[in-house]
Amino acid sequence: MAQELTNAKMIVDKDFKVSEIDPRIYGSFIEHLGRAVYGGIYEPGHPKADEQGFRSDVMDLVKELQVPIVRYPGGNMVSAYNWEDGVGPKDERPSRLELAWRSIENNRVGTNEFVDWARKAGTDVMMAVNLGTRGIDAARNLLEYTNHPGGTYYSDLRRSHGYEQPHNIKTWCLGNEMDGPWQLGGKTAGEYGRLAYETAKAMKLVDPDIELVSCGSSSSNMPTFPQWEATTLEHTYEYADYVSLHQYYTNYENDTANFLAKSMEMDHFIGTVVSTCDYIKAKKRSNKMINLSFDEWNVWFHSTAEDQKVEPWQTAPPLLEDVYTFEDAVLVGSLLHTLLKHSDRVKMACMAQLVNVIAPIMTDNGGQVWKQTIFYPYYYTSVYGRGTALNPVVHSPKYDSKDFTDVPYLDTSVVYNEEKEELVVFATNRHLENTLKVDCDIRSFEGFGVTEHVVLEHDDPKAVNIVGQEQVKPHHNGKSHMEDGHLQAILPKMSWNMIRLHKQK
């Protein structure tokens, strides 16, 4: 049955700029949690494992995503982690009770191995320090171990472990979700602010070239938000370069229209944090701008009930293994739009996580690797969303849902890569029944023509990808063309789209 048409309009001009996009906005996250490390990126004895035990089939997909930075080693796990357990000869490393996820951590992968993996995968490391059960001393010692050339206790310890050259990790998180009552060593805003300030001071004495992320709220739903940001930044503003945001999106009520509007929640969250940062900037009479690191974001709710049944004190049990649906992928596409629309202040972001744990990439132990539905919007936006984010003028019909009003059916972000003479329009049609016909005025891009229109669509919002059976994947048969300086595009009902245009020779 033919879908009814709904009309929308856009104006895209190369002078309507948001910002140059920091590639780190497409980062991800690996935590010592479930099968993210063991059975995910690392599985010695697997047919595709390399000489260090890293799965090459998983690494190939990470490279395909062009992930620029990966946060490590946590997450909640870092708040009781002793980094010293994960360095040195593997047969001398202790197994520990990992309290955040009530598992056994065998420490076969630690700082050095993860840096090795990151280099092989073509990505940088965003390292988190433990400000829960530890503090200033452990943080500055770890930084000395990773970044100092030699001639001191911890730098020479690294060299004795076979790493003559420093790792030069330049992005560091000052703890994780310290506002959360679930966090080991959780703190009030004042307690965290003082500790983070003193830790940051010590770390920047060890290596003045590092960038530091101050802990923001664990979600916009926290009762202390946004006062947490205001209080902590009063302390950390001098040394911090970023403040973190974390948010996960759910559809427990099975309300697709409301679920697809939740990128507006992310938009509001970012706006509030920006306002709070700028309030502290004004209060301090500072010229320094604090930017944002949205270093945990994704859909997460499918596995919650199953996780309650997992027996504690296992090594790498299956935890947080959400099986993502088509509608999850559509929302993930819109969340990426939102990050790009705020790329003037959101400079880093991490889809949480990367492999097996609420992840775009899944594996079988000893077996295959496959792409979840959310892999595709992440892949296309990461690969083609490089350059300058533009601010389109959008005229779209709207709808109301349970939690949101005036939700545009057309959700979009636009990226211009001047060097490649490439214009990329990422577009979501939130309408559950109607095709969206979009008239996009791009007259400032004279001589550009459509070279590709990728569509992610499916008749079943709950369709999933499982090993050996990929129901949800994009096609390249999108309908769009140029007409008198206007891009005419047809966006199928409930779909995510990428339209690439190039200057015609």
Side-chain angles (χ1 to χ4, degrees):
M1 191 173 88
Q3 298 175 20
E4 290 187 27
L5 280 178
T6 298
N7 293 299
K9 290 186 177 183
M10 291 171 60
I11 302 170
V12 174
D13 191 290
K14 61 178 63 174
D15 289 327
F16 298 174
K17 296 177 181 177
V18 177
S19 175
E20 285 296 309
I21 299 161
D22 189 321
R24 295 177 298 175
I25 208 168
Y26 303 119
S28 193
F29 179 27
I30 289 282
E31 181 173 4
H32 283 256
L33 191 181
R35 297 191 309 119
V37 175
Y38 308 111
I41 64 170
Y42 177 80
E43 192 177 346
H46 189 279
K48 296 289 181 70
D50 68 10
E51 73 285 353
Q52 286 186 280
F54 297 126
R55 284 185 59 163
S56 62
D57 53 352
V58 173
M59 195 175 295
D60 287 345
L61 291 188
V62 175
K63 289 178 179 177
E64 191 176 326
L65 288 167
Q66 297 185 22
V67 181
I69 196 165
V70 180
R71 186 162 166 256
Y72 176 85
N76 295 344
M77 170 268 187
V78 80
S79 290
Y81 179 56
N82 299 329
W83 67 266
E84 301 91 339
D85 292 344
V87 298
K90 290 191 179 186
D91 57 2
E92 297 177 15
R93 298 182 191 179
S95 290
R96 299 280 193 191
L97 294 181
E98 199 293 286
L99 300 182
W101 304 103
R102 303 193 77 213
S103 303
I104 300 292
E105 173 54 57
N106 63 31
N107 286 300
R108 292 300 178 266
V109 172
T111 300
N112 294 318
E113 289 83 11
F114 189 75
V115 169
D116 285 343
W117 175 85
R119 287 187 177 138
K120 290 180 176 183
T123 190
D124 287 332
V125 177
M126 179 192 294
M127 184 70 78
V129 299
N130 175 359
L131 293 190
T133 60
R134 303 185 83 181
I136 303 167
D137 208 41
R140 61 117 176 184
N141 292 343
L142 173 58
L143 179 58
E144 179 186 323
Y145 182 91
T146 61
N147 285 21
H148 198 69
T152 65
Y153 178 81
Y154 284 104
S155 60
D156 286 345
L157 183 63
R158 180 200 70 243
R159 294 167 70 196
S160 77
H161 293 156
Y163 294 83
E164 181 66 27
Q165 298 302 316
H167 297 320
N168 285 323
I169 298 169
K170 293 302 183 185
T171 311
W172 293 78
C173 299
L174 296 165
N176 173 76
E177 295 186 354
M178 300 308 296
D179 61 331
W182 58 86
Q183 202 70 212
L184 284 162
K187 292 171 173 58
T188 66
E191 289 168 342
Y192 170 75
R194 285 290 304 132
L195 177 60
Y197 170 82
E198 295 296 341
T199 303
K201 180 175 28 172
M203 292 177 74
K204 289 217 171 179
L205 286 169
V206 175
D207 185 348
D209 296 329
I210 60 173
E211 291 188 311
L212 295 173
V213 183
S214 183
C215 261
S217 294
S218 303
S219 82
S220 61
N221 305 319
M222 295 297 290
T224 51
F225 173 75
Q227 186 59 51
W228 171 275
E229 281 75 5
T231 302
T232 58
L233 285 173
E234 287 263 18
H235 295 282
T236 62
Y237 205 92
E238 179 183 351
Y239 290 113
D241 302 282
Y242 306 90
V243 64
S244 69
L245 300 82
H246 292 180
Q247 191 80 39
Y248 295 97
Y249 301 91
T250 67
N251 190 18
Y252 287 114
E253 296 173 337
N254 194 23
D255 183 339
T256 300
N258 193 62
F259 181 61
L260 296 183
K262 288 194 172 182
S263 57
M264 295 178 70
E265 189 178 309
M266 175 188 261
D267 181 82
H268 182 70
F269 188 14
I270 291 169
T272 304
V273 174
V274 166
S275 299
T276 308
C277 291
D278 291 349
Y279 161 66
I280 300 300
K281 177 184 178 182
K283 188 175 180 181
K284 288 182 172 286
R285 281 41 169 194
S286 175
N287 292 321
K288 176 182 175 181
M289 180 84 76
I290 294 281
N291 285 316
L292 277 54
S293 175
F294 211 127
D295 48 42
E296 288 189 35
W297 68 269
N298 204 348
V299 174
W300 173 21
F301 72 101
H302 298 286
S303 61
T304 308
E306 283 300 310
D307 288 344
Q308 304 304 314
K309 304 172 188 175
V310 175
E311 288 294 317
W313 314 129
Q314 301 180 60
T315 300
L319 286 171
L320 282 63
E321 297 199 1
D322 275 35
V323 177
Y324 287 111
T325 65
F326 167 63
E327 69 182 8
D328 296 333
V330 176
L331 177 61
V332 162
S334 281
L335 296 172
L336 287 159
H337 299 326
T338 306
L339 294 172
L340 288 174
K341 285 185 275 194
H342 288 282
S343 57
D344 58 329
R345 297 301 293 272
V346 179
K347 298 300 180 182
M348 299 190 291
C350 300
M351 175 185 271
Q353 294 188 21
L354 186 55
V355 184
N356 286 333
V357 174
I358 48 175
I361 299 169
M362 292 296 293
T363 72
D364 273 340
N365 288 353
Q368 298 181 52
V369 62
W370 69 98
K371 301 171 181 177
Q372 292 233 56
T373 63
I374 64 171
F375 181 96
Y376 291 106
Y378 182 26
Y379 162 74
Y380 282 106
T381 313
S382 172
V383 172
Y384 296 106
R386 309 287 176 117
T388 302
L390 300 182
N391 186 16
V393 178
V394 177
H395 301 280
S396 170
K398 299 174 181 179
Y399 70 96
D400 294 341
S401 69
K402 174 179 168 291
D403 296 319
F404 305 94
T405 56
D406 292 330
V407 182
Y409 283 116
L410 174 62
D411 187 27
T412 185
S413 57
V414 182
V415 177
Y416 175 43
N417 189 318
E418 188 172 5
E419 184 181 342
K420 293 183 177 179
E421 294 189 304
E422 179 180 67
L423 179 68
V424 185
V425 178
F426 301 103
T428 300
N429 177 5
R430 291 187 174 115
H431 206 298
L432 304 186
E433 297 172 356
N434 290 5
T435 296
L436 204 54
K437 183 181 179 183
V438 180
D439 179 325
C440 182
D441 182 344
I442 61 165
R443 282 175 294 182
S444 69
F445 292 91
E446 189 176 348
F448 275 62
V450 176
T451 51
E452 184 178 34
H453 182 168
V454 176
V455 183
L456 191 65
E457 62 176 328
H458 202 282
D459 287 336
D460 181 5
K462 309 300 182 186
V464 299
N465 293 347
I466 58 175
V467 61
Q469 188 179 350
E470 192 171 329
Q471 294 188 72
V472 180
K473 56 186 175 182
H475 66 76
H476 296 258
N477 302 318
K479 297 176 181 178
S480 54
H481 66 277
M482 289 299 300
E483 189 176 307
D484 299 327
H486 287 230
L487 168 65
Q488 304 292 336
I490 300 295
L491 311 182
K493 69 173 184 180
M494 193 180 167
S495 65
W496 179 89
N497 301 257
M498 180 191 74
I499 304 168
R500 293 169 61 216
L501 303 97
H502 289 87
K503 180 89 168 179
Q504 303 298 296
K505 303 299 183 186

